[in-house]
Amino acid sequence: MKAQDPIAPALSLSAFLRALRERQSPAEFGLAAGPRRRTPGLRREEVAQLCGLSVTWYTWIEQGRDVSVSASALARLAHGMRLSRAERSYLFEVAGKRDPERPGIRDDPPDEILACVDAIDGPAYILDRTWRARRWNAKASLLFAGWLDADGEKNLLRYIFLRPEARALILDWPSRARRVVAEFRAAVTAYSDDPDIRRLVEELRSGSPDFERCWDTQGVLAREGGERAFNHPTMGLLHYQQVSLSLAGWPDYRLTMLLSAPRLDQPASYSA
């Protein structure tokens, strides 16, 4: 297999920055277009000035030279050039850096996006980055007593590990609880310094020996769909096919749908 060209990321970054600069309107930044401009958009020295960077250093980046680009410098570029959320995300992606501000993490989707759960026939809910339910439909309320009903604890992890209703409802609770913790660890890796995440983990570690044991195994799994089954106190044994999707534009939010599935003779592994 051909080895990856180490200069390729730098060239991707340089091409992106050059394209951004050339399509910017000088007037939008309070700069006169002037008859002496030979190329569209901003000049390199103007970008450097707007972003508080060295002209030479910025020029080297656009030329694809092998120079070190810090996350803070990328943040100044994003701010100075007024990048959209998608552009900023792409900038950090091609540079191979983690965005220190994680733009959009505190933004809530508009109500019409959250309300999509009402159009889904089966139980459906939307989780935020702390796995707190932000919206759910009536069928989800009926299924998840103790979580999505009127008096329920809205965080999925608190429900699974701290509410007795969850142990009775979820078939094969021990194995599913282990998997949910591994999925949560994988999902919040990028937010390890987020105070809300840290508080939640510490609360659960001190409040649930089961969670602490699962957390200490260091398991990491992708959150996937699949067969799910529940032993509901009034509706009996229920089987679903779970589908989980990220919301476009709000990657910290996930929509989960439980769709009707044929009854299984020997259920394997199940989850909330």
Side-chain angles (χ1 to χ4, degrees), residues 58-100:
Y58 176 78
T59 300
W60 286 350
I61 297 176
E62 267 209 18
Q63 291 173 344
R65 297 195 188 188
D66 187 16
V67 296
S68 177
V69 184
S70 68
S72 61
L74 292 170
R76 289 198 296 273
L77 280 167
H79 178 73
M81 297 183 74
R82 305 175 186 176
L83 301 190
S84 67
R85 179 164 52 187
E87 289 170 335
R88 177 173 178 138
S89 177
Y90 185 78
L91 175 69
F92 278 86
E93 181 69 25
V94 297
K97 300 292 182 179
R98 178 184 172 191
D99 186 348

Side-chain angles (χ1 to χ4, degrees), residues 11-247:
L11 291 176
S12 298
L13 178 61
S14 69
F16 182 55
L17 287 174
R18 185 166 53 252
L20 283 173
R21 176 175 59 81
E22 291 177 351
R23 66 171 175 256
Q24 300 293 339
S25 168
E28 292 182 1
F29 294 86
L31 302 171
R36 300 181 61 183
R37 288 185 181 271
R38 292 172 293 179
T39 58
L42 300 174
R43 300 188 181 101
R44 286 174 176 168
E45 57 268 26
E46 291 171 336
V47 171
Q49 181 178 2
L50 288 168
C51 301
L53 303 171
S54 161
V55 176
T56 300
W57 184 81
Y58 176 78
T59 300
W60 286 350
I61 297 176
E62 267 209 18
Q63 291 173 344
R65 297 195 188 188
D66 187 16
V67 296
S68 177
V69 184
S70 68
S72 61
L74 292 170
R76 289 198 296 273
L77 280 167
H79 178 73
M81 297 183 74
R82 305 175 186 176
L83 301 190
S84 67
R85 179 164 52 187
E87 289 170 335
R88 177 173 178 138
S89 177
Y90 185 78
L91 175 69
F92 278 86
E93 181 69 25
V94 297
K97 300 292 182 179
R98 178 184 172 191
D99 186 348
E101 296 182 10
R102 294 193 296 273
I105 188 172
R106 301 293 180 183
D107 293 345
D108 290 335
D111 191 68
E112 59 267 24
I113 297 296
L114 294 176
C116 70
V117 296
D118 297 327
I120 298 170
D121 185 56
Y125 53 87
I126 293 174
L127 301 179
D128 64 15
R129 74 184 186 286
T130 66
W131 286 26
R132 174 176 177 264
R134 302 302 298 272
R135 184 68 68 91
W136 54 92
N137 61 15
K139 290 188 176 181
S141 294
L142 290 174
L143 175 61
F144 293 108
W147 178 34
L148 299 181
D149 55 4
D151 300 323
E153 161 54 58
K154 298 306 181 282
N155 184 276
L156 177 58
L157 289 168
R158 290 194 185 104
Y159 167 70
I160 290 176
F161 287 95
L162 302 180
R163 295 293 296 252
E165 299 96 326
R167 294 174 185 263
L169 177 68
I170 302 169
L171 294 189
D172 194 12
W173 183 93
S175 66
R176 295 311 309 164
R178 287 193 298 271
R179 181 175 183 91
V180 165
V181 173
E183 292 171 345
F184 180 72
R185 180 186 286 276
V188 302
T189 297
Y191 311 135
S192 59
D193 58 345
D194 186 284
D196 292 338
I197 300 295
R198 295 174 68 89
R199 280 193 295 269
L200 175 63
V201 171
E202 289 307 312
E203 174 195 335
L204 290 167
R205 282 172 60 90
S206 62
S208 170
D210 290 312
F211 179 87
E212 186 172 37
R213 282 192 295 270
C214 294
W215 187 260
D216 288 344
T217 65
Q218 301 287 321
V220 177
L221 293 169
R223 185 161 174 80
E224 299 174 343
E227 296 157 352
R228 304 290 186 260
F230 306 92
N231 188 18
H232 195 272
T234 60
M235 294 184 285
L237 187 60
L238 303 172
H239 292 268
Y240 297 99
Q241 188 75 15
Q242 178 177 297
V243 178
S244 294
L245 305 170
S246 293
L247 299 185

